[in-house]
Structures are given as C-alpha cells and as structure tokens.
Amino acid sequence: MMEHEELIQGYFKQSLSEADSQKVIRLLKDDAEFKAAFETYQEMHMAFKKAEYDNLKAQLQAVESKISEQTKPWYSQPWLRYAAASVLVIALGVNFFFGGSDNLYDDYFETYPNVYQPVIRGAASTSISDAFVFYENGEFEQAAASFKQLLEDQDDINLKFYRAMALLNAGDTQQALPLLEQLSETAFEFQAESKWYLALTYLKLDQTEKAKPLLEQMDAIDAEFKAEQRSSILKEI
C-alpha cells in the first residue's frame, strides 16, 4: 500500500493508477491531515515552478542585456537615456501613489489548487470532471462557464467556490465578488479561503477598509491558512 507522501508525489507527477487516484480524492475529502499535506506540497510545487521561471527569466534578461550592449541600441544616445529615465520615474511615482492596494493583490494572488475533485488522467469524462480539467489547464473562462452550468442543476457550495476562483483567474472581478461575499459568510470547507480571496479582491478594488477586518477575522476560522501572508498585508495597509 502506498504511503501518503508517495500518493501526493505520484499525483503531481501524474503517475498514479486510477485506483490510487480515486484514493487521493477520498483522502482529500475525508482526511484533514492528508489534505493539509497535499496543499503544502502543492504550494511547494508552485513555488518551485515559479523559481524555475524566475531563473529562466533572469538568464534571458542577461542575454538580452549582452546583445543590447553589442548592438548599441537607441538608448545609447545620452538624451534618450535621460528621457527614458524620466518616464520611468513618472511611472514609478504613479504606481506608488495610485497602485498600492492593487499591487498587494498582484503580489499575493495565486491560483487555488483543485483539492475538491482532482482530475484523474484517463478516467471517463463527466460534466464535473470536464469543468475541473478546464480549471487545472488554466482555461478559466471555460471553467467558470462549466461551473455555472453545473450550478443550474445542483446547488453545490464547493462548486460555487471554484466558480469564484475561475472568475477571479479570468479577471472577472465583478462576477466573482458577490459569490465570494456570500461564501465568506457561510460555514463550509472553503470558508477561510473565501475570506482570503475576498480580502484580496477588496484590495484590488481599493477597498482597504473592507479587506482589513476580513483578514483579522480569519484567525478565528483558520489560524494556519495564509497566516504569514495575512500578517504581512496587515502591516502594509
């Protein structure tokens, strides 16, 4: 029998059998300790991918800089360098005075993983699995539409949460906001997560006065979820 750590690693490597994939789904729903370990591994996996991306980006920028020096681009002209610097200073000033809360949203927002019904590769397709396939593949507009259609037939609060997540990732704050406001006031599996994403949405909308109490309330619901990030944001707002 596979240990929990092997199951989690196998899920992210997409190497599990269908039976073991079904076991992961059951454990995520029934075993809080397994779910916590799964989410921790997910965060580490995402952080590793981001580090890889940042490293590649830095290498490409170094190559671009070297090429630019060799080809003497337009900004080798002194007056053009001064003009570019002036534009940069103005842009930074605008960002400092008008973009603070929105920047916090960008800094702290990340896609919430599918821990409700992980996709089993090769399994028979269903309406719910199709919606989560869209979600896991980053096709968030299609995912949001699929979740909406599912909710017309069943009032599943967990699907409402993932519809809100899909809408946020698709950039549709207007539709996501009322859903998150409803979910954050409802006691269910993802209430703490709903409050977190609602607080981030308020920050994006420059409604800091609404975001702050939400972040403070989360201690009473889930002292662990995004605790470090919450503390950092509360120091900045």
Side-chain angles (χ1 to χ4, degrees), residues 3 5 10 12 20 23 43 57 60 62 74 80 87 91 103 107 110 114 118 124 131 149 161 164 180 183 192 219:
E3 298 292 334
E5 184 177 350
F12 285 99
D20 284 330
K23 184 176 181 180
E43 290 184 1
K57 182 178 178 181
L60 291 173
W74 61 268
L80 286 173
V87 171
N103 283 346
D107 289 343
E110 60 182 10
N114 170 21
Q149 188 171 2
F161 171 75
L180 288 171
L183 294 169
D219 285 335

Side-chain angles (χ1 to χ4, degrees), residues 144-158:
S146 297
F147 288 130
K148 182 180 180 181
Q149 188 171 2
L150 287 166
L151 287 165
E152 290 175 356
D153 297 324
Q154 54 181 307
D155 187 21
D156 186 323
I157 194 167
N158 296 306

Side-chain angles (χ1 to χ4, degrees), residues 93-164:
V94 170
N95 185 58
F96 178 80
F97 285 109
F98 298 105
S101 296
D102 199 0
N103 283 346
L104 286 174
Y105 177 90
D106 292 334
D107 289 343
Y108 288 95
F109 180 84
E110 60 182 10
T111 301
Y112 191 77
N114 170 21
V115 297
Y116 179 62
Q117 186 157 332
V119 174
I120 302 173
R121 313 298 170 182
S125 173
T126 66
S127 297
I128 292 180
S129 68
D130 288 347
F132 279 107
V133 166
F134 284 135
Y135 187 86
E136 290 192 8
N137 288 341
E139 300 173 76
F140 296 114
E141 290 184 2
Q142 294 94 323
S146 297
F147 288 130
K148 182 180 180 181
Q149 188 171 2
L150 287 166
L151 287 165
E152 290 175 356
D153 297 324
Q154 54 181 307
D155 187 21
D156 186 323
I157 194 167
N158 296 306
L159 293 182
K160 284 184 181 179
F161 171 75
Y162 275 99
R163 179 164 189 263

Side-chain angles (χ1 to χ4, degrees), residues 16 27 35 66 97 140-141 181 201 216 221-222 232:
L16 294 180
L27 287 169
K35 182 182 176 184
K66 186 175 181 180
F97 285 109
F140 296 114
E141 290 184 2
E181 288 176 333
T201 302
E216 293 171 339
I221 298 174
D222 189 331
S232 297

